[in-house]
Amino acid sequence: MFTAGVGASGWGIPVFGRIEIPVAESITIGGGASFQSNNQRFLNDRWNHSIIGFHGRGSYHFNTILNIPDDFDFYAGASLGYYVWNTTYKGSTPGAVYTGGGNGGANIGIHVGGRYFFGGNQKTALNLEAGGGNVLSAGTIGITFLL
């Protein structure tokens, strides 16, 4: 499966892409990447932040155990990731410019989500997910394509 979409965050609107591969009847593993940016301003000072994240993830899909119809897919799992946070500062004082790293590093996250396959072809789905512990933790919405 390939999913692409947007998320919610206090640091801008992230865009993401991820791939999942089944390794057992109800288990998938995969990974993904995300990007988001945020601009802040106070008087004549400006901060521009960009965050690039990479993660690996695993999910358990509850359809078989809960006898859920094929049009739906409900899952939960965990992820391990790394993100890079770059900041550029331009101050009101002439020559006050800073470009460098901000916060970043490894993170562990959890997620719970669901998909609704529409169109009767079981190849395209609307995906909603919520979680915690990473830069996409406030939630995501996307479209999933079965490959």
Side-chain angles (χ1 to χ4, degrees):
M1 291 181 273
F2 175 74
T3 302
V6 298
S9 169
W11 290 96
I13 298 174
V15 294
F16 74 93
R18 66 176 169 250
I19 191 159
E20 296 174 72
I21 300 166
V23 294
E25 181 179 347
S26 298
I27 299 173
T28 58
I29 61 169
S34 64
F35 173 79
Q36 63 199 83
S37 64
N38 182 293
N39 298 317
Q40 296 176 311
R41 184 179 199 135
F42 180 74
L43 299 175
N44 291 323
D45 296 329
R46 294 187 311 267
W47 294 265
N48 300 317
H49 308 280
S50 64
I51 306 167
I52 300 171
F54 302 96
H55 68 275
R57 60 188 271 147
S59 299
Y60 180 83
H61 300 259
F62 296 98
N63 289 39
T64 302
I65 196 169
L66 297 178
N67 198 25
I68 297 171
D70 289 342
D71 289 347
F72 298 94
D73 175 25
F74 295 104
Y75 60 90
S79 63
L80 177 61
Y82 187 83
Y83 62 98
V84 178
W85 188 319
N86 291 307
T87 299
T88 301
Y89 167 75
K90 294 184 181 178
S92 55
T93 305
V97 175
Y98 165 78
T99 301
N103 295 325
N107 62 33
I108 297 173
I110 58 171
H111 57 268
V112 61
R115 292 182 179 90
Y116 171 69
F117 289 90
F118 52 87
N121 64 9
Q122 300 295 311
K123 299 270 186 203
T124 308
L126 176 64
N127 180 229
L128 296 172
E129 187 173 297
N134 61 44
V135 294
L136 295 173
S137 63
T140 62
I141 183 168
I143 300 292
T144 298
F145 303 97
L146 294 183
L147 305 176

